[in-house]
Amino acid sequence: MIRAGIIGATGYAGGELVRLLLGHKDVEIKWYGSRSYIEQEYASVYRNLFQIVDDVCRDDNMKELAEQVDVIFTATPQGFLASVLDEELLKKVKVVDLSADYRISDVSVYEQWYQIPHRSPQLIDQAVYGLCEINRDRIRKTRLVANPGCYPTCSILSIWPLLKEGLIDPDTIIIDAKSGTSGAGRGAKVQNLFCEVNENIKAYGVASHRHTPEIEEQLSRAAGRPVILNFTPHLVPMNRGILVTAYASLKEAAGPEGGGSLPSEAQLREVYERYYGKERFVRFLPAGICPETRWVEGSNYVDVNIAVDPRTKRVIMMGAMDNLVKGAAGQAVQNMNLLFGLPEEEGLMMPPLFP
Amino acid sequence: MIRAGIIGATGYAGGELVRLLLGHKDVEIKWYGSRSYIEQEYASVYRNLFQIVDDVCRDDNMKELAEQVDVIFTATPQGFLASVLDEELLKKVKVVDLSADYRISDVSVYEQWYQIPHRSPQLIDQAVYGLCEINRDRIRKTRLVANPGCYPTCSILSIWPLLKEGLIDPDTIIIDAKSGTSGAGRGAKVQNLFCEVNENIKAYGVASHRHTPEIEEQLSRAAGRPVILNFTPHLVPMNRGILVTAYASLKEAAGPEGGGSLPSEAQLREVYERYYGKERFVRFLPAGICPETRWVEGSNYVDVNIAVDPRTKRVIMMGAMDNLVKGAAGQAVQNMNLLFGLPEEEGLMMPPLFP
Amino acid sequence: MIRAGIIGATGYAGGELVRLLLGHKDVEIKWYGSRSYIEQEYASVYRNLFQIVDDVCRDDNMKELAEQVDVIFTATPQGFLASVLDEELLKKVKVVDLSADYRISDVSVYEQWYQIPHRSPQLIDQAVYGLCEINRDRIRKTRLVANPGCYPTCSILSIWPLLKEGLIDPDTIIIDAKSGTSGAGRGAKVQNLFCEVNENIKAYGVASHRHTPEIEEQLSRAAGRPVILNFTPHLVPMNRGILVTAYASLKEAAGPEGGGSLPSEAQLREVYERYYGKERFVRFLPAGICPETRWVEGSNYVDVNIAVDPRTKRVIMMGAMDNLVKGAAGQAVQNMNLLFGLPEEEGLMMPPLFP
Amino acid sequence: MIRAGIIGATGYAGGELVRLLLGHKDVEIKWYGSRSYIEQEYASVYRNLFQIVDDVCRDDNMKELAEQVDVIFTATPQGFLASVLDEELLKKVKVVDLSADYRISDVSVYEQWYQIPHRSPQLIDQAVYGLCEINRDRIRKTRLVANPGCYPTCSILSIWPLLKEGLIDPDTIIIDAKSGTSGAGRGAKVQNLFCEVNENIKAYGVASHRHTPEIEEQLSRAAGRPVILNFTPHLVPMNRGILVTAYASLKEAAGPEGGGSLPSEAQLREVYERYYGKERFVRFLPAGICPETRWVEGSNYVDVNIAVDPRTKRVIMMGAMDNLVKGAAGQAVQNMNLLFGLPEEEGLMMPPLFP
């Protein structure tokens, strides 16, 4: 039985982690950390777990926690884990960090976009970026997983195959993303009140959102050279779900006579089939079917598809997933499974809930 | 392995049944019946099940189906099952009927409220009303379960203990119920379009809704004498969930000197604790906490609580559940478990999904 | 031109008041009071008014305000107005109070339900309860209007005619009410976040909501004797709208031979037609049509209807209105019109917005 | 008094047109055309207009209508108006067409994208594209206005100034648009049911939506040469509102030494100020404020803003409006005002409704 502790268990991602781990046959939650609700019953914060969870919330004592558990999940504000993690802790316990602290390999990029100093830059190298479909083997061998952001997970998985295969121009990538409101967290802010979000859609963080360098770093790996791109998130009046609509220009293959030709949609589809055909959690949809967030709600799936526009010679790459599952807690469990040598899909095979 | 067939697998209740049975370790779905989508892939109707369900939809052939499966679930329009079911079929297969055909013991009451003739009244006596918490033992021995309606399940469980114990006046019961829109079905009707339901609340079927006699029959059993009551359903702009707010006058206990005294809230709470303390799916909440549909979404739980108003000498009895789970598919699975001697909660212990 | 000042202009009711007064041809807003946003542009708080309102928010200086305007609207927390209002101010300016400070004639009832001391009980007698359809003539002559609460407005108008005519039993009244979330205000509270309210319905303030004594006082006037009743509010995932579903037992008329007879639905309808036939803002719907909040959104209308249940001898009285208009700002404008001798409907005749 | 007739008065755009014309002091609606509801009371279809509109719905008799009114609004399926309009009718009556029949100047483009033959191509030349801010003078002189589509209105107004001024590269335009569900119409389709739209976001019509050529034709006018672009609409779970997020590469100005330089954000803002500073219905927002649909609901405003991304040398152009008002009925009224020499904003100055 894997003993798990959660720091930040009363945020939306933390709550989802609890839900998923309760259904995982090899895990026992030993520590519900929540600085805001210390000594209060966890089930009084999330009443869906009444008569299911009996524990109370506890303070963020990493040292004590490291003695009691095998894995710590940190669903905490940026900077928290970097300020408390050290080599000693990592010798005792594995860590899956749902914050951004170890996602960016260049500490100056982190500090510039997050506007806080990084307190343990020496550990960044040890961390593995926990996008399981890409880094599976490296995750199995690490002690510290940087669980990807919600937008980056959906964006990278949607774009990766075509970029990796050199079929799109890396300089033309534009990602227009839409998220449900649980992504904004459970903090009491006027802008996230029901009446402010309902019956509204808006862009935010335009040309400045902190997930941008995370996406760029990973896509640069795929492209084999630096990628900079536009990323625009939007807030949608729904609880869960992220939809990515990404655009890029197709590269023309050099023709025999010098004239170029575009890859056909069939050729592009074959690439996705090859990359994702054996993945349990990435579903490449039939031609002509657009991903929709309703079809993945509550599950760890990412639905992906593409459409080619021969008029503009662009491809539109689309992905849909549940931001709290594959975009946070589900992927964290998937990473934990890899860390402990369990089947990657253990505890994650529940079908999506509809409607 | 229990082989299951579903007639009406593409309605919302049918879809939920598929989701739940896929997660049930002792069941295999052999037949996805849907007259509207014959020969179409089931996963093209419910794309959440892409790469999970490979079958196509099939016609409503009860006879053929009875040869192939151990249990048939019928999530069909009123009158369908009554028109095709007979003794011969019941000898071969067990049936859990999610329609109302066998819920009402008095066929004339059925015909009056449903405005259709009942085609197999001779089978009504065999059917057991599948409210597991009340009829558990009888369900175990039957072949035909009349799975309760969504509103009745929530209403009856909220009111039953006080009525059964003679603590409320049966002539004063008023049930004001609120349902999410999945309860209205998946038929293409203008009144159920997004823009018609969203940003709206309305009562409907006032003093005429067909769940009224079903609730009355069961509560009459509890009271030991005929009960008639008011039942008013409302449509709420949300996908899932039913909330019941029921009112009744408390009975005064005859005092030694002729003066009466009301039972205290503590006394009433003790009754609920006694009735539901050992139930897996009925959660009697702590004092002062109102049931909310968000805390039961996706699960088989019914959350129940009461508040006493000493000013008016009434008790307010409240219940919340997921109309598609405990109100339909979940209870159907619970009934199937009873029918086949499995643990009653098998396949139903997933925690509610929030948010 | 009537010069108006608003204290509490940045709450939802205050914002709606601004919207309505901007469309009122005889009014000019001179003061946008908001302690939370002093010196900030009003249109930076409510960006719908960008390029429409140029003023900045100002502090709550009643004395200065009284010198500059003809009427003050207070959309403030309970207790504020009672603590600053005095005879001197009322000599200079008319006041429409959207808080509860002067709605309850018995100061001890106010203090018991609101749990704060009343700082100017000597002014209560001067205040007129501003339910225009009932108190029209008295409002015209006063200086201080206690603008009714949202739930009370809808509840009282739905029930008033039958109670006033002695057709229902005052001891049997139960009001089950449902409100959109703007009624919960614009304060930053976790419980009002989008993800907490969306996909949920709950009761709150059961047997303890502060609108109860306000409704009881007015209905006692109608009944000619004290009325106590049950009032249960619910929170609905929509922005605007209140729906009231009220229940009462019909009184049997004494028959010639001693046997009683119930009034017919036609007789009851005739009463409503008589009371509301000439009202501009109360629409008594055709038989069989339930009020729905979507049909009144953005307008000052209250839609009312009844259904008789001969089985239980009860009548169900229903009302729907926009909580921010007829339930707050619209009625405040209607009261202002009466105070200043304008046509009652001035600035309020916009049709409801749908969808 | 202008006498107006509406064909297609019971769709969402038709209903909004009724609402707006009822508030227009110079217009009287003489004909509520609706083939689906002939002889039924209009207020039984849109109950918000109970006691406001007394008329019944009438058949689509253009000839009779042309005798009775001064202007006909057609909110009809594509192809309807083209099949009935002729020179004779246009001699008698002015027409504002909310369908697409006369929006595309090249009939072959129309027939290709709409997949229906055009029955009156000879009239296309007479029609003026009714985007008031661009074609104001030409609209004043025509008899036939092609009222722009919802997505095109918002897209064109967001992009026009920079494209017209040659500041962006016409070959790089990508429009990612999001619409509320009223844009999908009031037809009874499963895909538009509440439970299918709620808690979901999806793209649709990717690389194939029929508003694409309409946008391209107008932007080609701005660019002075053919523009082809990507346009991707998305369906958002809200009633009203369109948000456009458009991307384009900034053009570098040739520098004195051959090196290019990008225009600054301030320079770009100055362009928008110049184009829209005097427009009543286009609000260019302060720097850093993203347009949101909630701030324009129920009004004729379009809120526009830009953000420059110096990293990618792209500009993000954003626009938000109410799809039923500026995107349909409001713009139709604005066009009618121009046709009849009224102040362009007559009947359209209501502030947006929030929340």
Side-chain angles (χ1 to χ4, degrees):
Chain A
M1 210 67 167
I2 300 166
R3 298 164 303 164
I6 303 170
I7 310 278
T10 54
Y12 288 136
E16 187 69 355
L17 199 48
V18 170
R19 180 180 79 94
L20 294 176
L21 292 177
L22 288 172
H24 194 297
K25 68 183 181 54
D26 299 320
V27 179
E28 192 178 5
I29 306 176
K30 306 293 283 185
W31 186 289
Y32 295 82
S34 172
R35 196 171 280 180
S36 316
Y37 295 95
I38 295 172
E39 297 303 324
Q40 294 183 45
E41 292 190 1
Y42 187 77
S44 74
V45 182
Y46 283 117
R47 292 196 181 277
N48 52 324
L49 300 180
F50 179 63
Q51 293 185 355
I52 301 174
V53 173
D54 287 333
D55 298 66
V56 297
C57 296
R58 304 170 71 178
D59 200 356
D60 302 342
N61 190 329
M62 284 288 280
K63 288 209 173 153
E64 191 184 331
L65 184 47
E67 302 293 337
Q68 298 185 18
V69 303
D70 305 302
V71 60
I72 298 175
F73 295 93
T74 46
T76 43
Q78 318 307 335
F80 169 81
L81 185 61
S83 71
V84 298
L85 192 64
D86 57 23
E87 184 61 32
E88 196 181 352
L89 278 166
L90 280 176
K91 280 182 185 153
K92 294 181 180 161
V93 70
K94 294 180 180 179
V95 175
V96 179
D97 179 26
L98 282 77
S99 86
D101 283 4
Y102 300 99
R103 291 180 196 157
I104 309 280
S105 60
D106 183 338
V107 68
S108 68
V109 171
Y110 174 91
E111 295 186 337
Q112 174 194 337
W113 287 81
Y114 285 88
Q115 293 289 308
I116 48 173
H118 198 294
R119 300 292 182 194
S120 52
Q122 76 285 0
L123 295 176
I124 294 177
D125 274 358
Q126 294 197 25
V128 175
Y129 189 74
L131 192 53
C132 311
E133 286 73 14
I134 309 292
N135 292 335
R136 188 167 282 134
D137 293 335
R138 293 175 55 221
I139 297 164
R140 286 200 181 95
K141 298 171 195 154
T142 193
R143 302 177 299 179
L144 173 56
V145 173
N147 206 59
C150 51
Y151 287 123
T153 296
C154 199
S155 300
I156 297 165
L157 289 173
S158 299
I159 298 169
W160 186 274
L162 295 191
L163 191 58
K164 181 78 176 165
E165 295 295 314
L167 291 162
I168 53 175
D169 178 351
D171 293 332
T172 62
I173 299 172
I174 290 172
I175 300 171
D176 192 283
K178 298 91 180 167
S179 174
T181 305
S182 58
R186 213 188 187 204
K189 296 179 184 168
V190 168
Q191 70 196 29
N192 293 333
L193 291 176
F194 181 83
C195 290
E196 308 291 316
V197 171
N198 190 38
E199 296 300 294
N200 188 40
I201 184 165
K202 66 172 177 185
Y204 65 98
V206 181
S208 63
H209 193 278
R210 303 187 297 190
H211 282 167
T212 309
E214 181 180 338
I215 300 170
E216 288 178 344
E217 176 172 339
Q218 299 303 320
L219 291 187
S220 296
R221 283 181 55 204
R225 59 117 156 146
V227 170
I228 59 166
L229 50 75
N230 274 101
F231 167 66
T232 314
H234 296 76
L235 191 68
V236 180
M238 58 184 191
N239 285 349
R240 289 170 178 248
I242 277 185
L243 185 74
V244 157
T245 314
Y247 304 84
S249 294
L250 289 165
K251 273 192 184 158
E252 294 185 76
E257 318 277 314
S261 75
L262 289 178
S264 69
E265 180 153 339
Q267 285 175 295
L268 303 180
R269 299 190 66 78
E270 186 277 331
V271 171
Y272 279 91
E273 297 287 3
R274 184 148 45 85
Y275 275 70
Y276 294 141
K278 290 182 182 160
E279 289 295 340
R280 292 302 281 270
F281 296 123
V282 185
R283 304 191 293 193
F284 185 60
L285 301 181
I289 305 297
C290 289
E292 308 188 26
T293 62
R294 62 174 162 156
W295 300 129
V296 294
E297 188 176 337
S299 81
N300 202 47
Y301 292 104
V302 187
D303 284 359
V304 173
N305 211 345
I306 56 166
V308 169
D309 188 346
R311 300 167 67 253
T312 60
K313 301 183 181 175
R314 292 195 190 100
V315 60
I316 299 101
M317 297 158 284
M318 295 169 280
M321 63 169 207
D322 186 321
N323 59 308
L324 291 181
V325 189
K326 182 62 176 172
Q331 187 148 255
V333 172
Q334 196 179 351
N335 276 311
M336 181 203 71
N337 287 338
L338 290 171
L339 286 177
F340 289 87
L342 299 173
E344 192 174 325
E345 70 275 16
E346 190 67 53
L348 292 171
M349 293 306 293
M350 58 284 174
L353 184 82
F354 174 81
Chain B
M1 212 65 170
I2 300 166
R3 299 164 302 164
I6 303 169
I7 310 278
T10 54
Y12 288 137
E16 186 69 355
L17 198 49
V18 170
R19 180 179 80 92
L20 294 175
L21 292 177
L22 289 171
H24 194 298
K25 68 182 181 55
D26 299 320
V27 179
E28 192 179 7
I29 305 176
K30 306 294 283 185
W31 185 290
Y32 294 82
S34 172
R35 197 172 278 180
S36 315
Y37 294 95
I38 296 172
E39 298 301 325
Q40 294 183 44
E41 292 190 1
Y42 187 76
S44 73
V45 181
Y46 283 117
R47 291 196 182 277
N48 53 325
L49 299 179
F50 180 63
Q51 293 185 357
I52 300 174
V53 173
D54 286 333
D55 299 65
V56 296
C57 296
R58 303 170 71 178
D59 201 354
D60 303 342
N61 189 331
M62 285 287 279
K63 289 211 173 151
E64 191 183 331
L65 184 46
E67 303 292 338
Q68 298 186 17
V69 302
D70 304 303
V71 60
I72 299 174
F73 295 93
T74 46
T76 42
Q78 318 307 334
F80 169 81
L81 184 61
S83 72
V84 298
L85 191 65
D86 58 23
E87 186 60 35
E88 197 181 354
L89 278 165
L90 281 175
K91 281 182 184 154
K92 294 181 181 161
V93 69
K94 293 180 180 178
V95 175
V96 179
D97 179 27
L98 283 78
S99 86
D101 284 4
Y102 300 99
R103 292 181 196 157
I104 309 281
S105 61
D106 182 336
V107 68
S108 68
V109 171
Y110 174 91
E111 295 186 337
Q112 174 194 338
W113 286 80
Y114 285 87
Q115 293 289 308
I116 46 172
H118 198 294
R119 300 293 182 194
S120 53
Q122 76 285 358
L123 296 175
I124 294 177
D125 274 357
Q126 294 197 24
V128 175
Y129 189 73
L131 192 54
C132 311
E133 286 74 15
I134 309 292
N135 293 334
R136 188 167 281 136
D137 293 335
R138 292 174 56 219
I139 296 165
R140 286 199 180 97
K141 297 171 196 155
T142 192
R143 302 177 298 181
L144 172 57
V145 173
N147 207 58
C150 50
Y151 286 122
T153 296
C154 199
S155 300
I156 297 164
L157 289 172
S158 299
I159 299 169
W160 185 275
L162 296 191
L163 191 58
K164 181 79 177 166
E165 296 295 313
L167 292 161
I168 53 175
D169 177 352
D171 292 332
T172 63
I173 300 172
I174 289 172
I175 301 170
D176 192 284
K178 299 87 180 169
S179 174
T181 305
S182 58
R186 213 189 186 200
K189 295 178 184 169
V190 167
Q191 69 194 30
N192 293 334
L193 290 176
F194 181 82
C195 289
E196 309 290 316
V197 171
N198 190 37
E199 297 298 292
N200 187 40
I201 184 166
K202 65 173 178 184
Y204 65 99
V206 181
S208 61
H209 193 277
R210 303 188 295 189
H211 282 167
T212 309
E214 182 180 338
I215 299 170
E216 288 177 344
E217 177 172 339
Q218 299 303 319
L219 291 186
S220 296
R221 283 182 54 204
R225 62 123 158 136
V227 170
I228 61 166
L229 49 75
N230 273 101
F231 167 66
T232 314
H234 296 76
L235 191 69
V236 180
M238 59 184 191
N239 286 348
R240 288 170 179 247
I242 277 185
L243 185 73
V244 157
T245 313
Y247 304 84
S249 294
L250 289 165
K251 273 191 185 160
E252 295 184 75
E257 316 279 312
S261 75
L262 287 179
S264 70
E265 179 151 339
Q267 284 175 295
L268 303 180
R269 298 190 67 78
E270 187 275 330
V271 170
Y272 279 92
E273 296 288 1
R274 183 149 45 85
Y275 275 70
Y276 295 141
K278 292 183 181 160
E279 289 294 340
R280 292 303 279 272
F281 296 123
V282 186
R283 305 191 293 193
F284 185 59
L285 300 180
I289 305 297
C290 290
E292 307 188 26
T293 61
R294 61 175 163 156
W295 300 129
V296 294
E297 187 176 337
S299 83
N300 203 47
Y301 292 105
V302 188
D303 283 0
V304 173
N305 212 344
I306 57 166
V308 169
D309 188 346
R311 301 167 67 253
T312 61
K313 302 184 180 174
R314 292 197 189 100
V315 60
I316 298 98
M317 297 157 284
M318 296 169 279
M321 61 169 210
D322 186 321
N323 59 307
L324 292 181
V325 190
K326 183 62 176 172
Q331 186 148 257
V333 171
Q334 196 179 351
N335 276 312
M336 180 203 71
N337 287 339
L338 290 171
L339 286 178
F340 288 88
L342 299 172
E344 191 174 325
E345 68 275 17
E346 190 67 53
L348 293 170
M349 291 307 293
M350 58 284 175
L353 183 83
F354 175 81
Chain C
M1 211 65 166
I2 300 166
R3 299 163 303 163
I6 304 170
I7 310 279
T10 55
Y12 289 137
E16 186 69 356
L17 198 49
V18 170
R19 180 179 79 92
L20 294 176
L21 292 177
L22 288 171
H24 194 297
K25 68 183 180 54
D26 298 320
V27 179
E28 192 178 6
I29 305 176
K30 305 294 281 187
W31 187 290
Y32 294 82
S34 172
R35 198 172 277 181
S36 315
Y37 296 95
I38 295 172
E39 297 303 323
Q40 294 183 43
E41 292 190 1
Y42 187 77
S44 74
V45 182
Y46 283 117
R47 291 196 183 277
N48 52 325
L49 300 180
F50 180 63
Q51 292 184 357
I52 300 174
V53 173
D54 287 331
D55 299 66
V56 297
C57 296
R58 304 170 72 176
D59 200 356
D60 302 342
N61 191 330
M62 284 288 279
K63 288 211 174 150
E64 191 184 331
L65 184 46
E67 303 292 338
Q68 298 185 18
V69 303
D70 305 301
V71 60
I72 298 175
F73 295 93
T74 46
T76 44
Q78 317 308 334
F80 168 81
L81 184 61
S83 72
V84 297
L85 192 63
D86 58 22
E87 184 60 32
E88 198 180 352
L89 278 165
L90 281 176
K91 280 182 185 155
K92 293 180 182 161
V93 70
K94 295 180 178 177
V95 176
V96 179
D97 179 26
L98 283 76
S99 86
D101 283 4
Y102 300 99
R103 292 181 196 156
I104 309 281
S105 59
D106 182 337
V107 68
S108 68
V109 171
Y110 174 92
E111 295 187 337
Q112 174 193 336
W113 286 81
Y114 285 89
Q115 293 289 307
I116 47 173
H118 198 293
R119 300 292 182 194
S120 52
Q122 76 286 358
L123 296 176
I124 294 178
D125 274 359
Q126 294 198 25
V128 174
Y129 189 73
L131 191 53
C132 311
E133 286 74 13
I134 309 292
N135 292 335
R136 189 166 282 135
D137 293 336
R138 293 174 54 221
I139 296 164
R140 284 200 182 96
K141 297 171 196 155
T142 192
R143 303 177 299 180
L144 172 56
V145 174
N147 207 58
C150 51
Y151 287 121
T153 296
C154 199
S155 300
I156 297 164
L157 289 173
S158 298
I159 297 169
W160 185 274
L162 295 191
L163 190 58
K164 181 78 177 167
E165 296 295 313
L167 292 161
I168 53 176
D169 177 352
D171 293 332
T172 63
I173 298 172
I174 289 172
I175 300 171
D176 192 283
K178 298 91 180 168
S179 174
T181 305
S182 58
R186 213 188 186 201
K189 297 179 183 167
V190 168
Q191 69 196 30
N192 294 333
L193 290 176
F194 181 81
C195 290
E196 309 291 316
V197 171
N198 190 37
E199 296 299 295
N200 188 40
I201 184 166
K202 66 173 177 184
Y204 64 100
V206 181
S208 62
H209 193 279
R210 302 187 297 189
H211 282 168
T212 310
E214 182 180 338
I215 299 170
E216 288 177 344
E217 175 171 340
Q218 299 304 320
L219 291 186
S220 296
R221 284 182 54 204
R225 59 118 156 148
V227 170
I228 60 167
L229 49 76
N230 275 101
F231 167 66
T232 314
H234 296 76
L235 192 68
V236 180
M238 59 183 191
N239 286 349
R240 290 171 178 245
I242 277 186
L243 185 74
V244 157
T245 314
Y247 303 84
S249 294
L250 290 165
K251 273 193 185 158
E252 294 185 76
E257 317 278 314
S261 74
L262 289 177
S264 69
E265 180 152 338
Q267 284 174 295
L268 303 180
R269 299 190 66 78
E270 187 275 331
V271 172
Y272 279 92
E273 296 288 1
R274 184 148 44 86
Y275 274 70
Y276 294 141
K278 290 183 182 161
E279 288 296 339
R280 291 303 280 271
F281 296 123
V282 185
R283 304 191 293 194
F284 185 61
L285 300 181
I289 305 297
C290 289
E292 308 188 27
T293 61
R294 62 174 161 157
W295 299 129
V296 294
E297 188 176 337
S299 82
N300 203 47
Y301 292 104
V302 188
D303 283 359
V304 173
N305 211 345
I306 57 166
V308 169
D309 188 346
R311 300 167 68 250
T312 60
K313 301 184 182 174
R314 292 195 190 100
V315 61
I316 298 99
M317 297 158 284
M318 296 170 279
M321 63 169 208
D322 185 320
N323 60 307
L324 291 181
V325 189
K326 183 62 177 172
Q331 187 148 255
V333 172
Q334 196 178 350
N335 276 311
M336 180 202 72
N337 287 338
L338 290 172
L339 287 177
F340 288 88
L342 299 172
E344 192 175 325
E345 70 275 16
E346 190 68 52
L348 292 170
M349 293 306 294
M350 58 283 174
L353 184 81
F354 174 82
Chain D
M1 210 68 167
I2 300 166
R3 298 164 304 162
I6 303 170
I7 310 277
T10 55
Y12 289 137
E16 186 69 354
L17 199 48
V18 169
R19 180 179 79 94
L20 295 175
L21 292 178
L22 288 172
H24 194 298
K25 68 183 180 56
D26 299 321
V27 178
E28 192 180 6
I29 305 177
K30 305 294 282 187
W31 185 290
Y32 295 82
S34 173
R35 198 173 278 182
S36 314
Y37 296 94
I38 295 171
E39 298 303 324
Q40 294 182 44
E41 291 190 2
Y42 187 76
S44 74
V45 181
Y46 283 117
R47 291 195 182 278
N48 52 326
L49 300 180
F50 179 63
Q51 292 185 358
I52 301 174
V53 173
D54 287 333
D55 299 65
V56 296
C57 296
R58 304 170 71 177
D59 201 355
D60 302 342
N61 190 331
M62 285 287 279
K63 288 211 173 152
E64 191 183 330
L65 183 47
E67 303 292 337
Q68 298 185 18
V69 302
D70 304 302
V71 60
I72 297 174
F73 295 93
T74 46
T76 43
Q78 318 308 335
F80 169 81
L81 184 61
S83 72
V84 298
L85 191 65
D86 59 22
E87 185 59 34
E88 197 180 355
L89 278 166
L90 281 175
K91 280 181 185 156
K92 294 179 181 163
V93 70
K94 294 179 180 181
V95 175
V96 179
D97 179 26
L98 283 78
S99 86
D101 283 3
Y102 300 98
R103 292 181 196 156
I104 309 282
S105 61
D106 182 336
V107 68
S108 68
V109 171
Y110 174 92
E111 294 186 337
Q112 174 194 338
W113 287 81
Y114 285 88
Q115 293 289 309
I116 47 172
H118 198 294
R119 300 295 183 194
S120 52
Q122 76 286 358
L123 296 176
I124 294 177
D125 274 358
Q126 294 197 25
V128 175
Y129 189 72
L131 192 53
C132 310
E133 286 74 13
I134 308 293
N135 293 334
R136 188 167 281 135
D137 293 335
R138 293 175 54 222
I139 295 164
R140 285 198 181 96
K141 297 172 196 154
T142 192
R143 303 177 298 180
L144 172 58
V145 174
N147 206 59
C150 51
Y151 287 122
T153 296
C154 198
S155 301
I156 297 164
L157 289 173
S158 298
I159 298 169
W160 185 276
L162 295 191
L163 190 59
K164 181 79 178 167
E165 295 295 313
L167 292 161
I168 54 176
D169 177 351
D171 293 332
T172 62
I173 299 171
I174 289 173
I175 301 170
D176 192 284
K178 298 89 179 170
S179 174
T181 305
S182 58
R186 214 188 186 202
K189 296 177 185 170
V190 168
Q191 70 195 30
N192 293 333
L193 290 177
F194 181 82
C195 289
E196 310 290 317
V197 171
N198 190 38
E199 296 299 293
N200 188 40
I201 184 166
K202 64 173 178 184
Y204 64 98
V206 181
S208 63
H209 192 279
R210 303 187 295 189
H211 282 167
T212 310
E214 182 180 338
I215 299 170
E216 288 178 345
E217 176 171 340
Q218 299 303 320
L219 291 186
S220 296
R221 283 181 53 204
R225 59 118 156 146
V227 170
I228 62 168
L229 50 77
N230 274 102
F231 167 66
T232 313
H234 297 76
L235 191 69
V236 180
M238 58 184 192
N239 286 349
R240 288 170 179 247
I242 276 184
L243 185 74
V244 157
T245 314
Y247 304 84
S249 294
L250 289 164
K251 273 193 185 158
E252 295 185 74
E257 316 278 313
S261 73
L262 288 178
S264 69
E265 180 151 339
Q267 284 175 296
L268 303 180
R269 298 190 67 77
E270 186 276 331
V271 171
Y272 279 91
E273 296 288 2
R274 183 149 45 85
Y275 275 71
Y276 295 140
K278 291 183 181 159
E279 288 295 339
R280 292 303 279 272
F281 296 122
V282 185
R283 304 191 293 194
F284 185 60
L285 300 180
I289 305 296
C290 290
E292 307 188 25
T293 60
R294 62 174 162 157
W295 300 129
V296 295
E297 188 176 337
S299 82
N300 203 47
Y301 292 105
V302 188
D303 283 0
V304 173
N305 211 345
I306 57 167
V308 169
D309 188 346
R311 300 166 68 252
T312 60
K313 302 184 181 174
R314 292 195 190 100
V315 61
I316 298 99
M317 298 157 283
M318 295 169 280
M321 62 169 208
D322 185 322
N323 60 307
L324 292 181
V325 189
K326 183 62 177 173
Q331 186 148 258
V333 171
Q334 196 179 351
N335 276 311
M336 180 203 72
N337 287 338
L338 289 171
L339 286 177
F340 288 88
L342 299 172
E344 191 174 326
E345 69 275 16
E346 190 67 53
L348 293 171
M349 292 308 292
M350 58 283 174
L353 183 82
F354 174 81

